[in-house]
Amino acid sequence: MDTQHNSTGRESNQGAATVLPASGLPIEYAPTSHQSYADLVASTWRPAEVFNLKGQALLKELVRYGTLAANSYNTQPWLFAVEENRISLMPDFRRRCPAVDPDGHHLYASLGCATENIVQAALAYGLQAIISIDPAQNNIININFEPTEKQQKALFKAIPERQCTRSIYDGNSVSDIQLSRLQGISKQDYINTQLFTTHDDLNNIMRFVIAANSAKMQDPAFLEELKHWIRFSETTVTKQRDGLYSPSTGNPKLPEWLGKIVFKILVTKNAENEKCREQTLSSSGVIAISSEQNNKQSWINAGRGYQRFALQATAFGLRHAFINQAVEVPEVRNQLAEFFGIKACRVDILVNSPSYGV
Ligand SMILES: Cc1cc2nc3c(=O)[nH]c(=O)nc-3n(C[C@H](O)[C@H](O)[C@H](O)COP(=O)(O)O)c2cc1C
């Protein structure tokens, strides 16, 4: 374990996922015993041990892999239905974040991230995933499976290791071969991935991030929502199994009551802007994932593309984190698209790296 924290991981844990079996009766899919924090972390991010699972046991294992995906504020905004030979993913609107994500973009992108983990994990069990999205039913994602050869690819092995690392990087450049592999692997229908590595580009992108971050830090609804999803103590993390663990955001562990009181002192516009600037300018570059068609299917596909990028970066030993502030303020997001030369697209995801950690 390194000293950097991710929002949930290795220093935190994982939210409960609700699995809806064919009967439609929900069952909680999460460790239920009173595990210690460390045990819970270890059991959540454990790699698969056996590859001969079948039927419901196999599908539930794939759901477990799905829940290890990136997701906005670690709200775990998904519901899974497990039927014979099919997993369906749908949004859990109870976990929406209306202040930061009013149109549900991040929620659907998060479902895309979970879908991609399931696709990669299925291959390790000899299953090829066939995906369809049903716009008539809240864009439910249906994943059916066909037999194929068992393949434990690097992306699969990286699933329990992947994490967002909000830290200063070593600033070393990443090889062109790796960069082009990362750009290529995130390709998806109607989704563009752009890479920016020059100092001028990073400085320019930072101006958008800081403008958006400054606007958000003055929005009481945004701050209230963020505070709601921050978990200051191990005890709360262990109990709630969701949200952003305070150390992963560069803030201290505190008793929960104290954290809620000092939130205003810890999370300030200047401090957050400075963190973003230092992290991005020490990274090797910025990757932007954008959709040509601004609709829910595209947001899901952007999430899938990002997740493959993140898994490949992890497999290369590279770290990364989101700097999505700039896409969360519509005016800034439009200016950013213009700066990227893709005015008609929606910029979905902005990531500061890939980079080597320090
Ligand atoms: C659509 C989307 C938007 C996100 N936006 C941000 C962001 O603006 N800032 C940030 O630090 N992390 C962002 N994240 C990362 C999540 O906070 C992170 O995935 C979650 O806390 C789980 O932690 P992990 O990815 O380290 O497992 C975003 C993730 C997704 C999928």
Side-chain angles (χ1 to χ4, degrees):
M1 160 72 214
D2 55 47
T3 52
Q4 290 145 338
H5 308 288
N6 81 331
S7 46
T8 50
R10 301 5 83 128
E11 277 288 328
S12 169
N13 67 41
Q14 157 78 40
T18 302
V19 179
L20 302 173
S23 65
L25 292 171
I27 54 168
E28 285 303 307
Y29 180 68
T32 47
S33 60
H34 297 287
Q35 287 169 300
S36 72
Y37 171 80
D39 287 349
L40 197 53
V41 168
S43 66
T44 300
W45 278 279
R46 84 192 134 75
E49 279 144 24
V50 289
F51 291 92
N52 57 359
L53 297 174
K54 293 213 161 38
Q56 293 267 315
L58 166 54
L59 295 181
K60 283 190 188 173
E61 178 66 350
L62 297 183
V63 168
R64 184 180 77 79
Y65 268 100
T67 64
L68 300 183
N71 63 102
S72 181
Y73 278 8
N74 195 30
T75 54
Q76 304 268 315
W78 37 52
L79 294 166
F80 297 88
V82 175
E83 292 170 83
E84 202 188 340
N85 202 36
R86 182 202 287 204
I87 297 173
S88 301
L89 276 86
M90 54 219 107
D92 186 346
F93 291 116
R94 296 166 301 181
R95 290 175 166 264
R96 297 183 53 228
C97 292
V100 75
D101 187 27
D103 60 4
H105 170 278
H106 286 6
L107 192 161
Y108 282 96
S110 302
L111 292 185
C113 296
T115 300
E116 191 57 38
N117 269 12
I118 293 176
V119 170
Q120 298 301 330
L123 283 173
Y125 287 91
L127 295 176
Q128 177 75 51
I130 316 288
I131 294 169
S132 59
I133 301 172
D134 186 350
Q137 282 193 59
N138 267 336
N139 292 281
I140 185 172
I141 304 167
N142 292 313
I143 313 179
N144 288 289
F145 300 98
E146 282 178 3
T148 188
E149 198 188 325
K150 282 189 184 175
Q151 303 159 61
Q152 283 193 34
K153 294 190 171 179
L155 298 197
F156 164 69
K157 290 184 186 159
I159 294 175
E161 298 297 322
R162 181 214 57 83
Q163 62 185 101
C164 292
T165 309
R166 302 174 188 90
S167 73
I168 302 200
Y169 307 99
D170 73 359
N172 285 338
S173 56
V174 170
S175 79
D176 288 346
I177 295 175
Q178 288 187 328
L179 286 177
S180 110
R181 173 90 178 129
L182 288 163
Q183 191 170 13
I185 205 149
S186 60
K187 285 219 158 63
Q188 190 81 32
D189 292 347
Y190 304 110
I191 301 296
N192 296 315
T193 303
Q194 293 169 290
L195 259 174
F196 302 92
T197 52
T198 68
H199 197 66
D200 279 355
D201 276 344
L202 296 198
N203 268 316
N204 280 323
I205 293 168
M206 257 350 275
R207 285 196 288 124
F208 295 106
V209 174
I210 286 185
N213 203 44
S214 302
K216 287 170 61 183
M217 295 303 291
Q218 285 163 51
D219 173 358
F222 166 79
L223 288 170
E224 203 42 49
E225 191 175 79
L226 178 61
K227 185 163 80 174
H228 174 76
W229 285 103
I230 293 190
R231 312 286 175 245
F232 287 95
S233 70
E234 271 183 16
T235 316
T236 313
V237 165
T238 311
K239 204 165 110 202
Q240 309 242 145
R241 302 179 186 186
D242 61 10
L244 296 163
Y245 189 31
S246 179
S248 76
T249 63
N251 292 309
K253 282 185 208 180
L254 291 169
E256 203 60 32
W257 63 268
L258 183 59
K260 298 285 183 205
I261 292 172
V262 298
F263 172 82
K264 263 194 179 160
I265 302 168
L266 295 174
V267 184
T268 64
K269 183 179 95 177
N270 289 347
E272 294 306 303
N273 281 345
E274 200 39 42
K275 271 187 224 164
C276 280
R277 195 195 310 273
E278 278 182 0
Q279 292 171 7
T280 301
L281 296 183
S282 69
S283 79
S284 71
V286 166
I287 286 199
I289 299 181
S290 314
S291 45
E292 289 170 19
Q293 299 171 337
N294 185 18
N295 58 30
K296 295 188 172 82
Q297 286 100 311
S298 293
W299 303 345
I300 292 167
N301 281 334
R304 289 191 62 194
Y306 157 75
Q307 189 70 17
R308 278 199 305 279
F309 153 82
L311 293 174
Q312 183 62 67
T314 306
F316 282 151
L318 299 169
R319 302 183 182 284
H320 74 282
F322 284 73
I323 39 168
N324 246 19
Q325 293 88 334
V327 307
E328 288 162 359
V329 176
E331 307 81 68
V332 180
R333 184 172 69 229
N334 294 339
Q335 291 162 7
L336 191 64
E338 207 167 335
F339 174 72
F340 289 161
I342 48 165
K343 209 171 162 189
C345 296
R346 172 163 182 159
V347 187
D348 295 283
I349 286 172
L350 205 58
V351 174
N352 74 1
S353 307
S355 303
Y356 295 101
V358 285

